[in-house]
């Protein structure tokens, strides 16, 4: 009986103890932005029992009773204690301590604490990115990240910038970085509204980019957009209005100077006419010949400044509205944006409408569902199209000043009114009567399901998509001489439809092995496919210019029609393991196995591995007493990433439809087009990186130092084949050659003054890059990739860098004492003097470089109470820019207007000059791409200056708002450079996005001037 009683009592006590055990769930987030915090340590106070949060910040824990106290601790955050009480679901927010080591950094397929990084990754928050109003992300990145070179080559409204991460690593492949927007791989980062961005991470070394395998060789830019927040809903508005003005001038001859040079050129004809006769001008510049242009005293009636007529102050506006909110289980964000950007050049402009919505919902404790959807519509009017043709920027310099915009009777004036001149229309006429309008609609987003399978194990499946369509409308009026007059007007419509989808599926295991060791493992599979369809139709000889492209049937001549479609697909498998030992020793191993339809049957798949390690020296016991060092970390990585960005079907033989004449009639035919290469494979980029990070004096000084060495092998080169092969394309892609990039990156941030009212901080970014071609082909022969301008402009040579300018050396002009020397080359005194080989042939050499030796940005911010003032000064040194526009504005008198530099031309009294004696274009000396054109392109730019005021809290409470800031900003305030063109940062030969334009950088043939932009803006939060 006694034994039974003891047994029953024991059962009762055991049951009571079991009933006392409580199951607690919860979520831990960052107090600042409500982002989830993974790997937060949660311990029951007074015990060793506990758990850690998973990647979503969620946790599950058994506690003894309601009196239990949970201690939440996380590196970089203030610890927090919570008594369980009656709670079964605990949601807390941790406040960050001084410093940013706990800041979450987005990497491929996940996020890690900044302190846990083993790779070279730079993070920019949205407010850092948008400290100046810009239309796209690429422009916003300029001068923000060490190792990332951004060239804003065109000021055409809506035009994007070139972004290069750690140099040029390819020759015939795309060299743009890979953009990943909220997990959607390969999206157009410049298409979204920059105000939608919450943060950007730039992955630079192989340890961080190898997770994207075959597409990560040129760096990866991760974009995370704004999402919902828990608690009270937020409403924010960002708006600005700005005025663009011409910052620099390209001085041309006025009317009196033009007439003087024109007459002098023909007066010198006797000297240069090989027949020894006197060359008379086709028409005299006087009242008798041109009564509409000269008065009775033979003085010009007009003195038109074409720069003032074309480049006028332009007003632009931008508006952005964002709604964020959520509850314990659901989060939402909705944004609307409008941009109306008017260009400095008349008639040019860009307009964009954007909408974006995100939703995240905890459907069950074990399931989170969410996604985002964005819609963007834009319209761009490009007036400065047609490099090398008689386009607007060129005619601003070449249109003669003695003609007006319009005559009193309302008819257009132009060079064509004067016999013998190159008959280009005046630039205002072109801008008003020639349109290139691009309309783009883009829908992008993803839908995801996140399964919390177990306490430490999550599975995420994601379906991403990017659907876009573009329509290009072009019309050139029937009254534009030498452009479309002979064709009776030209109308053209082309459209492209692009469809991309991806399926990303991966498991994440986040395991706290013991109190000192933490392991995170990732395993996944990916599927991607892209399709494009393009159609084109063009007609000429229109009944009336009224119809333009809107009714092509009004043109009686069908000149061009065509269509094309293609696709590519990828299948990938990827894995990553990170291991943290005692917050001191960090290891990362990554691998991706990619298969692509772009490559040959023998090389469809390739493996891209990487490894990284870091040592947080500041966590060691021997550093505990070193109070002035808050962080000291040494890291290193090595890995391989790839580049598949070439055209489709380059591994297989191709045929091309055409027409031929058989039996006296046109017949459809098929012709051999491309020979194909079944062994074609990826370029491989092998990169080693060593970095040092340290923070001193309670994070008052923070510095990141990186050294990298990136070698790209198996370059995808277009090798020439004999025309006798019978192919219309006399090139074939082969894996030949290698290129090396080495460099140093420095990022120094200091807080110089910090008191209750004052704060002064500075940031200095410094980057060097040395590019070297190691191998090209079996014979290592020079390759001349173009673009050509009166011959070769670039050379690819082993031992030299990509972007090497190639041309002749101008020594000056021949003096009268050098008549005999000039005669050896069939020239005369007053002709340009070049360096020649010993046999008298032209001497060519490398005469400049298109990419700088080093770049730097100095930024500083001063804050006093509600006031703030900041500036960015960008420095680019050791680079050249080729002013190829000098060919037609210094070497071709009597054909068009010239630069005022021709007033310094050779004369018998002035022989020490670089500019040849003026003469009729009939006897002009051959122009060459030479050292006179290739100028020093180094510069110092006052890039961004901002003065702002944030209203005090008392004002905000009265107005029932959270925050109100008003600011004034000026961009491109000053430019210090020796370059004589509008701007040394330029590319007029290939400013487009998505192509390998490494060889056209800093080639200037009449550019769109970069304006000075004055902004007034407001930021409001409710």
């Amino acid at each position: 009986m006694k034994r039974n009683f003891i047994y029953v009592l024991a059962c009762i006590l055991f049951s009571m103890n079991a009933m006392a055990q409580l199951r607690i769930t919860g979520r831990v987030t960052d107090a600042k932005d409500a982002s989830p915090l993974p790997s937060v340590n949660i311990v029951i106070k007074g015990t060793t029992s506990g758990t850690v949060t998973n990647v979503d910040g969620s946790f599950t824990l058994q506690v003894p009773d309601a009196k239990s106290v949970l201690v939440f601790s996380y590196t970089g955050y203030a610890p927090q204690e919570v008594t369980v009480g009656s709670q079964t679901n605990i949601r807390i927010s941790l406040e960050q301590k001084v410093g940013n080591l706990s800041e979450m950094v987005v990497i491929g397929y996940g996020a890690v604490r900044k302190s846990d990084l083993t790779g070279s990754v730079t993070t920019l928050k949205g407010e850092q990115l948008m400290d100046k109003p810009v239309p796209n992300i690429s422009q916003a990145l300029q001068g923000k990240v060490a190792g990332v070179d951004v060239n804003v080559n065109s000021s055409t409204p809506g035009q994007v910038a070139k972004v290069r991460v750690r140099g040029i690593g390819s020759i015939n492949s795309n060299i743009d970085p890979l953009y990943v927007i909220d997990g959607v791989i390969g999206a157009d980062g410049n298409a979204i509204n920059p105000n939608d961005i919450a943060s950007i991470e730039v992955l630079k070394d192989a340890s961080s980019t190898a997770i994207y395998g075959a597409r990560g060789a040129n760096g990866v830019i991760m974009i995370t957009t704004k999402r919902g927040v828990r608690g009270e809903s937020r409403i924010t508005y960002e708006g600005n209005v700005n005025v663009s003005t011409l910052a620099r001038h390209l001085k041309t001859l006025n009317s009196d100077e033009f007439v003087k040079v024109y007459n002098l050129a023909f007066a010198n004809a006797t000297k240069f006419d090989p027949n020894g006769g006197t060359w008379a001008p086709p028409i005299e510049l006087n009242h008798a010949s041109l009564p509409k242009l000269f008065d009775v005293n033979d003085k010009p009636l007009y003195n038109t400044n074409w720069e003032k007529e074309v480049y006028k102050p332009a007003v632009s506006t931008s508006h952005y509205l964002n709604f964020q909110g959520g509850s314990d289980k659901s989060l939402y964000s909705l944004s609307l944006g409008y941009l109306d950007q008017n260009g400095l050049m008349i008639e040019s402009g860009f307009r964009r409408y954007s909408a974006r919505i995100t939703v995240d919902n905890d459907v069950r404790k074990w399931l989170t569902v969410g996604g985002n959807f964005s819609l963007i519509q834009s319209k761009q009017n490009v007036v400065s199209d047609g490099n090398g043709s008689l386009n607007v920027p060129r005619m601003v310099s070449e249109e003669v000043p003695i003609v007006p915009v319009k005559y009193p009777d309302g008819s257009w004036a132009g060079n064509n009114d004067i016999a013998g001149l190159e008959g280009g229309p005046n630039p205002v006429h072109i801008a008003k009567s020639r349109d290139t309008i691009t309309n783009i609609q883009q829908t992008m987003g993803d839908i995801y399901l996140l399964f919390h399978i177990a306490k430490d194990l999550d599975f995420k499946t994601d379906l991403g998509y990017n659907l876009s369509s573009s329509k290009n409308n072009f019309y050139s009026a029937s009254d534009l001489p030498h452009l479309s007059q002979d064709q009776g007007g030209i109308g053209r419509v082309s459209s492209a439809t692009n469809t991309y989808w991806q399926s990303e599926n991966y498991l994440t295991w986040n395991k706290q092995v013991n109190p000192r060791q933490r392991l995170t493992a990732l395993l996944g599979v990916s599927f991607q496919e892209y399709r494009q369809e393009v159609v084109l139709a063009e007609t000429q000889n229109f009944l009336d210019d009224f119809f333009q492209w809107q009714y092509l049937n009004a043109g009686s001549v069908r000149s061009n029609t065509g269509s094309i479609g293609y696709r590519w697909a990828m299948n990938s498998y990827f894995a990553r393991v990170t291991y943290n030992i005692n917050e001191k020793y960090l290891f990362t191993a990554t691998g991706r196995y990619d298969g692509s339809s772009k490559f040959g049957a023998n090389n469809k798949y390739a493996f891209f591995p990487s490894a990284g390690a870091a040592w947080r020296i500041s966590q060691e016991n021997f550093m505990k007493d070193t109070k002035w060092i808050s962080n000291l970390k040494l890291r290193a990585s090595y890995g391989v990433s790839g580049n598949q960005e070439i055209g489709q079907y380059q591994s297989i033989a191709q045929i091309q439809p055409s027409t031929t004449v058989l039996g006296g009639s046109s017949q459809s035919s098929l012709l051999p087009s491309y020979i194909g290469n079944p062994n074609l494979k990826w370029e491989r980029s092998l990169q080693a990186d060593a970095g040092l990070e340290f923070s001193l004096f309670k994070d008052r000084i923070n510095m990141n130092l990186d050294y990298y060495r990136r070698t790209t092998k198996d370059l995808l080169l277009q090798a020439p084949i004999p025309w006798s092969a019978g192919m219309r394309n006399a090139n074939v892609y082969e894996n030949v050659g290698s290129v090396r990039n080495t460099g140093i990156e420095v990022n120094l941030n200091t807080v110089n003054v910090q008191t209750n009212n004052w704060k002064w901080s500075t940031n200095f970014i410094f980057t060097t890059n040395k590019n070297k071609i190691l191998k090209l082909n079996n014979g290592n022969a020079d390759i001349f990739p173009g673009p050509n301008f009166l011959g070769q402009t670039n050379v690819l040579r082993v031992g030299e860098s990509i972007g090497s300018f190639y041309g002749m050396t101008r020594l000056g002009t021949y003096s009268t004492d050098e008549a005999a020397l000039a005669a050896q080359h069939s020239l005369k005194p007053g002709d340009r003097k070049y360096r020649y080989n010993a046999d008298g042939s032209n001497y060519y050499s490398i005469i400049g470089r298109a990419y700088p030796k080093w770049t730097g940005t100095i930024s500083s911010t001063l804050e006093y109470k509600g006031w703030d003032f900041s500036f960015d000064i960008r420095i680019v040194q050791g680079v050249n820019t080729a002013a190829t526009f000098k060919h037609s504005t210094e070497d071709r008198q009597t054909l068009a207007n010239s630069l005022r530099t021709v007033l310094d031309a050779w004369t018998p009294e002035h022989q020490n000059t670089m500019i040849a004696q003026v003469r009729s274009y009939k006897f002009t000396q051959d122009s060459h791409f030479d050292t006179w054109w290739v100028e020093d392109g180094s510069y110092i730019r006052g890039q961004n200056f901002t003065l702002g005021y944030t209203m005090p809290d008392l004002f905000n409470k009265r107005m029932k708002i959270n925050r109100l800031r008003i600011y004034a900003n000026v961009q491109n305030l000053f430019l210090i450079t020796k370059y004589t063109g509008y701007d040394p940062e330029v590319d007029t030969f290939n400013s487009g996005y998505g192509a390998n334009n490494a060889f056209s950088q800093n080639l200037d043939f009449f550019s769109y001037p970069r304006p000075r932009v004055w902004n007034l803006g407001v930021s409001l939060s409710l």
Side-chain angles (χ1 to χ4, degrees):
M1 185 71 178
K2 182 178 180 181
R3 180 179 296 177
N4 290 338
F5 174 76
I6 295 173
Y7 175 77
V8 171
L9 181 61
C11 290
I12 293 173
L13 291 173
F14 178 80
S15 299
M16 290 176 63
N17 182 64
M19 291 176 62
Q21 288 283 333
L22 301 176
R23 183 175 183 272
I24 304 298
T25 61
R27 196 162 187 258
V28 184
T29 58
D30 187 314
K32 183 178 180 181
D33 58 11
S35 59
L37 296 178
S39 305
V40 175
N41 284 308
I42 307 168
V43 178
I44 303 171
K45 192 172 184 178
T47 72
T48 57
S49 300
T51 186
V52 295
T53 58
N54 62 17
V55 293
D56 192 38
S58 301
F59 70 91
T60 301
L61 180 65
Q62 297 284 345
V63 299
D65 52 46
K67 296 180 181 179
S68 300
V69 177
L70 304 183
V71 180
F72 295 81
S73 61
Y74 194 48
T75 303
Y77 285 74
Q80 191 173 145
E81 296 185 4
V82 176
T83 301
V84 172
S86 61
Q87 302 176 86
T88 58
N89 185 270
I90 298 174
R91 293 181 177 269
I92 71 165
S93 297
L94 297 184
E95 297 280 353
Q96 292 189 24
K97 295 190 296 186
V98 176
N100 58 2
L101 293 179
S102 58
E103 178 181 294
M104 297 304 297
V105 177
V106 177
I107 58 175
Y109 306 101
V112 298
R113 290 181 300 175
K114 188 174 182 179
S115 60
D116 290 348
L117 282 173
T118 61
S120 181
V121 180
T122 299
T123 299
L124 292 174
K125 295 300 183 183
E127 55 269 23
Q128 295 174 276
L129 191 73
M130 292 303 295
D131 60 350
K132 61 180 179 181
V134 289
N136 53 60
I137 292 169
S138 59
Q139 292 186 25
L141 281 171
Q142 189 172 52
K144 300 290 188 184
V145 181
V148 177
D149 192 25
V150 179
N151 296 115
V152 183
N153 293 316
S154 173
S155 294
T156 299
Q159 200 73 12
V160 302
K162 289 182 185 176
V163 179
R164 304 290 178 251
V165 178
R166 291 187 167 179
I168 309 298
S170 186
I171 292 176
N172 290 135
S173 302
N174 187 351
I175 49 179
D176 293 305
L178 177 71
Y179 288 88
V180 181
I181 303 177
D182 288 336
V184 179
I185 304 171
D188 181 0
N190 292 290
I192 70 171
N193 190 327
N195 289 291
D196 274 327
I197 297 174
S199 69
I200 283 183
E201 275 77 19
V202 181
L203 317 184
K204 295 182 288 186
D205 71 327
S207 177
S208 54
T209 64
I211 194 68
Y212 290 105
R215 305 181 71 182
N218 299 317
V220 180
I221 297 179
M222 310 282 299
I223 299 173
T224 303
T225 61
K226 295 175 181 176
R227 305 190 83 88
V229 294
R230 301 188 191 279
E232 186 177 356
S233 297
R234 304 177 187 174
I235 303 175
T236 57
Y237 168 78
E238 304 281 346
N240 78 82
V241 58
N242 62 69
V243 178
S244 299
T245 59
L246 188 63
R248 283 165 62 92
H249 301 275
L250 198 60
K251 295 181 180 179
T252 55
L253 300 175
N254 63 29
S255 289
D256 291 335
E257 292 166 340
F258 171 75
V259 172
K260 175 185 175 182
V261 170
Y262 184 91
N263 291 333
L264 179 60
F266 284 109
N268 290 334
T270 303
K271 175 179 178 180
F272 294 100
D273 185 354
N275 297 321
T278 301
W279 181 266
I283 189 170
E284 298 286 346
L285 297 184
N286 55 35
H287 177 73
S289 300
L290 299 165
K292 293 198 298 183
L293 300 178
F294 290 85
D295 63 17
V296 294
N297 297 315
D298 295 334
K299 296 295 184 182
L301 292 172
Y302 304 100
N303 184 26
T304 306
N305 185 325
W306 291 107
E307 204 177 55
K308 288 184 178 180
E309 296 294 336
V310 172
Y311 302 127
K312 296 181 178 294
V315 179
S316 302
T317 60
S318 174
H319 304 278
Y320 175 78
L321 191 61
N322 180 245
F323 304 88
Q324 293 175 286
S327 62
D328 286 345
K329 291 190 175 183
S330 298
L331 303 174
Y332 72 88
S333 173
L334 170 65
S335 67
L336 301 170
Y338 170 74
L339 171 67
D340 184 12
Q341 184 186 15
N342 293 300
L344 194 65
M345 183 184 294
I346 57 173
E347 303 298 317
S348 65
F350 176 74
R351 186 169 293 174
R352 182 182 65 209
Y353 304 88
S354 64
R356 187 175 189 85
I357 185 170
T358 69
V359 177
D360 300 279
N361 185 265
D362 294 330
V363 179
R364 294 288 185 270
K365 293 179 181 180
W366 51 269
L367 175 63
T368 301
V369 177
N372 66 80
F373 171 85
S374 68
L375 177 64
I376 294 177
Q377 180 172 318
S378 64
K379 178 180 180 181
Q380 183 185 34
N381 189 7
V382 180
V383 178
S384 59
D385 68 311
N387 174 72
S389 68
L390 303 178
N391 62 352
V392 172
R394 180 174 178 178
M395 296 315 298
V396 166
S397 296
E398 292 195 7
E399 196 73 18
V400 296
I402 62 174
V403 300
V405 177
K406 284 186 176 182
Y407 293 112
D409 63 3
S411 61
W412 292 105
N415 282 2
N416 53 297
D417 297 334
I418 304 173
L421 294 187
E422 188 169 67
N426 79 61
V428 178
H429 187 188
I430 300 173
K432 298 288 186 180
S433 303
R434 186 178 174 93
D435 291 303
T436 302
I437 298 176
T438 301
N439 296 278
I440 296 177
Q441 288 186 331
Q442 186 169 34
T443 302
M444 181 175 59
D446 77 328
I447 301 170
Y448 74 86
L449 287 85
L450 178 62
F451 296 89
H452 308 296
I453 299 174
K455 180 179 68 174
D456 303 319
L457 184 64
D458 288 339
F459 173 72
K460 186 175 184 179
T461 180
D462 180 298
L463 178 64
Y465 60 91
N466 189 357
L467 313 176
S468 66
S469 63
S470 63
K471 183 171 178 283
N472 182 274
N473 301 322
F474 172 81
Y475 188 77
S476 187
S478 59
D479 65 347
L480 289 172
H482 298 281
L483 287 175
S484 49
Q485 188 178 64
D486 294 343
Q487 293 81 15
I490 302 173
R492 181 170 59 247
V493 174
S494 62
S495 64
T497 302
N498 309 289
T499 304
Y500 169 82
W501 65 265
Q502 67 178 39
S503 174
E504 305 282 308
N505 311 274
Y506 52 95
L507 286 162
T508 304
W509 186 43
N510 193 5
K511 178 65 175 177
Q512 186 76 34
V513 180
N514 56 47
R516 301 184 59 183
Q517 299 182 60
R518 186 170 69 250
L519 173 72
T520 300
L522 173 78
L523 180 65
V525 60
S526 170
F527 303 92
Q528 302 170 34
E529 184 180 74
Y530 177 86
R531 293 178 181 269
Q532 183 180 67
E533 294 183 359
V534 181
V535 295
L536 166 70
E538 179 182 301
T539 61
Q540 301 177 3
N541 196 26
F542 280 72
L543 291 169
D544 191 281
D545 289 331
F546 170 80
F547 296 100
Q548 298 189 335
W549 63 80
Q550 300 176 54
Y551 195 70
L552 292 181
N553 288 345
S556 60
V557 178
R558 309 294 190 265
S559 59
N560 190 12
T561 59
S563 65
I564 190 172
Y566 63 83
R567 67 177 288 274
W568 60 261
M570 289 186 66
N571 173 217
S572 309
Y573 306 89
F574 52 91
R576 179 175 61 220
V577 176
T578 62
Y579 198 60
N580 182 321
I581 302 176
N582 207 27
E583 303 294 338
K584 301 177 184 178
Y585 315 110
L586 313 168
F587 303 94
T588 303
T590 305
R592 187 174 179 114
Y593 188 60
D594 276 326
S596 173
S597 64
K598 289 187 177 183
F599 294 102
N602 302 328
N603 291 296
K604 288 293 185 186
Y605 282 86
F607 181 60
F608 302 95
S610 76
W615 177 25
R616 294 190 63 199
I617 306 173
S618 54
Q619 295 297 105
E620 295 287 357
N621 291 332
F622 60 81
M623 294 290 293
K624 294 296 185 182
D625 295 329
T626 313
K627 302 299 183 182
W628 57 279
I629 298 179
S630 50
N631 178 51
L632 179 61
K633 182 166 76 171
L634 185 66
R635 51 180 169 76
S637 68
Y638 183 82
V640 182
S641 51
N643 190 348
Q644 69 147 13
E645 303 306 319
I646 58 173
Q648 289 68 39
Y649 314 126
Q650 300 300 311
S651 66
I652 59 178
Q654 301 174 29
I655 55 176
Q656 181 176 327
S658 183
T659 56
T660 189
V661 177
L662 293 174
S665 61
S666 179
Q667 301 289 335
S668 298
S669 62
L670 294 174
L671 300 177
S673 175
Y674 179 74
I675 196 170
N677 179 4
N679 295 314
L680 198 65
K681 60 183 179 181
W682 279 282
E683 292 181 347
R684 294 182 303 121
S685 181
L686 292 74
Q687 184 169 188
D689 183 278
L692 176 66
E693 303 174 10
F694 61 83
S695 301
L696 310 177
F697 309 114
K698 297 182 179 180
D699 295 338
R700 295 286 291 269
I701 298 176
N702 295 276
M703 177 174 277
N704 281 12
L705 300 173
D706 273 275
Y707 169 80
Y708 65 88
R709 182 184 179 97
R710 178 165 72 111
T711 302
T712 305
K713 297 184 177 182
D714 299 327
L715 292 178
L716 290 162
L717 276 174
Q718 289 179 310
I721 61 173
W723 284 106
S724 58
M727 298 291 153
R728 300 193 72 176
N729 188 340
N731 295 288
V732 62
Y733 267 100
E734 292 184 348
N735 293 102
V736 179
S738 61
V739 174
R740 176 182 296 152
N741 285 276
T742 56
I744 296 173
E745 300 167 359
V746 179
N747 192 335
L748 173 63
N749 180 267
T750 63
V751 179
N752 309 307
V753 176
Q754 188 167 19
T755 66
N756 291 335
N757 293 326
W758 280 96
K759 183 179 180 181
W760 174 30
S761 61
T762 57
N763 191 50
F764 175 62
I765 292 173
F766 175 81
T767 303
T768 69
N769 178 263
K770 183 178 181 180
N771 180 278
K772 185 177 181 180
I773 299 173
L774 304 178
K775 182 181 178 183
L776 283 176
N777 44 50
N778 292 334
N780 282 330
D782 290 349
I783 295 176
F784 300 96
N788 296 327
F789 185 85
L790 305 177
Q792 304 297 338
T793 58
N794 281 259
V795 65
L796 297 172
R797 177 176 291 173
V798 171
E800 301 295 338
S801 63
I802 293 175
S804 295
F805 290 135
Y806 183 78
M808 296 184 66
T809 301
R810 188 186 298 196
L811 302 176
T813 51
Y814 288 105
S815 67
T816 52
D817 296 334
E818 297 176 306
L821 182 61
Q824 294 179 14
H825 303 284
S826 302
L827 299 173
K828 299 178 183 294
D831 281 329
R832 291 183 296 276
K833 181 181 179 181
Y834 291 98
R835 181 179 176 182
Y836 295 96
N837 292 311
D839 61 0
S841 60
N842 292 342
Y843 172 80
Y844 290 93
S845 64
I846 293 175
I847 59 175
R849 52 181 295 150
Y851 294 95
K853 293 181 179 179
W854 63 271
T855 63
T857 301
I858 300 172
S859 303
S860 190
T861 301
L862 292 108
E863 300 175 28
Y864 176 68
K865 295 185 177 179
W867 292 93
D868 62 88
F869 172 72
S870 63
F871 65 83
D872 300 326
I873 297 176
R874 180 167 165 79
I875 306 169
V876 175
Q877 296 293 306
V879 66
N880 299 100
T881 302
T884 57
F885 58 82
K886 288 183 177 180
H887 159 67
S888 58
T889 52
E890 284 186 348
D891 300 346
R892 302 191 317 148
Q893 292 84 36
T894 75
L895 202 59
N897 199 18
S898 301
L899 295 176
R900 295 193 78 246
T901 51
V902 301
L903 299 177
D904 188 50
W906 190 98
T907 65
E909 299 75 30
H910 176 58
Q911 300 189 20
N912 185 21
T913 179
M914 301 294 287
I915 301 175
Q917 186 175 15
V918 299
R919 80 287 301 272
S920 167
Y921 76 94
K922 291 286 186 180
F923 315 115
T924 187
Q925 181 185 355
D926 288 341
S927 283
H928 298 281
F929 189 81
D930 65 17
T931 52
W932 175 244
W933 295 355
V934 178
E935 301 181 4
D936 185 354
S938 302
Y939 65 85
I940 300 174
R941 190 191 306 278
Q943 185 154 302
N944 187 39
F945 290 75
T946 303
L947 176 65
Y949 181 71
T950 301
M951 295 298 178
D953 292 339
L954 183 60
F955 174 86
N956 295 338
K957 289 179 180 179
R958 289 177 179 176
M959 301 300 294
K960 297 182 179 180
I961 61 176
N962 290 333
R963 183 175 182 268
L964 174 62
R965 178 174 180 265
I966 302 171
Y967 66 89
N969 166 274
V970 57
Q971 299 168 30
N972 193 28
L973 181 62
F974 63 82
L975 177 67
I976 302 173
T977 183
K978 295 179 180 178
Y979 183 63
T980 58
Y982 281 121
D983 200 284
E985 187 178 316
V986 64
D987 177 0
T988 58
F989 283 78
N990 190 347
S991 58
Y993 169 75
N996 188 334
N997 33 36
F999 316 115
S1000 57
Q1001 183 61 45
N1002 282 21
L1003 285 175
D1004 184 359
F1005 193 65
F1006 300 104
S1007 59
Y1008 192 129
R1010 177 176 291 194
R1012 181 172 294 121
V1013 184
W1014 306 86
N1015 290 280
L1016 282 176
V1018 61
S1019 177
L1020 173 65
S1021 176
L1022 302 176

